[in-house]
Amino acid sequence: MPDPATADLLVRWTARLAIGAYLVRAGWDLSTIGDRDEPLSRSRLALAVRWTWTVGWLIYLVHVVLAFVLIHHGSHAEAWRHVADETERLTGFRSGAGLVLDHLVTVLWTFDVAMWWRDPGWPRTRQARWLLHPFFGFMAFNATVVFGPPGWRLVAVVCGVAVGVWGACRAFRSSRTDGNV
């Protein structure tokens, strides 16, 4: 077992790398809103993004295992307490429910990776893309605010607002040109 400082670094950096992979995926989806061209989904760039997303998912799974084993000593109850303590420290509201949402991220990310490898054109509709991003974006933002260093909180807010505005502008432009929302 690594010492606590090394364990903390491993858990933090696997989380950061997983969030980086999410940002690549979000950027891809934002940049391809309104594109319905099948060759785009089979391009080298699409394949690189799909591999980044898949590797990010694997890193996220490593993050979950490392956090559970090294930080919470294999105890789900201890993980729940830790999430509740950190949430209360920051917000004044004591809840470990974020842990359940983390489990949902694991399920959704696994499903999305599997679907994208099964069908390179996944997802084909704008609605399917945007079912994923509000939840994943919220979870990445929340994890950064609750567990990240104080300086990263500002970065998370600025990035969250920028991505939201960019996505809204792209979606608005796309809906004006093709008549869909």
Side-chain angles (χ1 to χ4, degrees):
M1 284 285 218
D3 64 275
T6 302
D8 186 60
L9 272 176
L10 288 169
V11 169
R12 287 185 186 279
W13 276 101
T14 51
R16 290 170 182 163
L17 291 170
I19 288 174
Y22 167 69
L23 292 174
V24 168
R25 169 65 189 275
W28 170 258
D29 284 351
L30 281 169
S31 68
T32 59
I33 289 176
D35 294 336
R36 291 188 174 80
D37 190 10
E38 184 62 27
L40 178 67
S41 67
R42 299 188 187 281
S43 71
R44 285 186 181 161
L45 181 57
L47 184 61
V49 171
R50 190 170 359 135
W51 271 110
T52 301
W53 185 236
T54 303
V55 170
W57 166 71
L58 291 170
I59 291 169
Y60 173 76
L61 294 178
V62 168
H63 165 75
V64 169
V65 169
L66 288 175
F68 188 68
V69 172
L70 300 179
I71 305 298
H72 307 301
H73 313 291
S75 168
H76 198 269
E78 188 172 319
W80 185 277
R81 275 191 301 277
H82 176 72
V83 170
D85 290 347
E86 290 301 308
T87 302
E88 183 178 39
R89 180 184 60 79
L90 186 68
T91 67
F93 178 70
R94 183 168 184 76
S95 174
L99 193 59
V100 174
L101 297 176
D102 288 339
H103 296 325
L104 185 56
V105 166
T106 305
V107 170
L108 290 175
W109 201 336
T110 301
F111 174 78
D112 192 69
V113 165
M115 290 302 294
W116 207 1
W117 282 104
R118 182 176 166 262
D119 176 6
W122 169 263
R124 295 197 186 283
T125 66
R126 185 175 314 135
Q127 291 81 6
R129 287 181 184 185
W130 296 109
L131 289 175
L132 178 78
H133 292 297
F135 177 63
F136 269 52
F138 168 76
M139 291 300 291
F141 175 81
N142 188 56
T144 302
V145 169
V146 173
F147 296 103
W152 284 51
R153 293 178 185 145
L154 178 60
V155 171
V157 169
V158 170
C159 287
V161 169
V163 167
V165 168
W166 182 34
C169 290
R170 293 259 321 155
F172 179 74
R173 264 195 315 258
S174 177
S175 68
R176 301 233 10 202
T177 58
D178 65 11
N180 293 331
V181 175

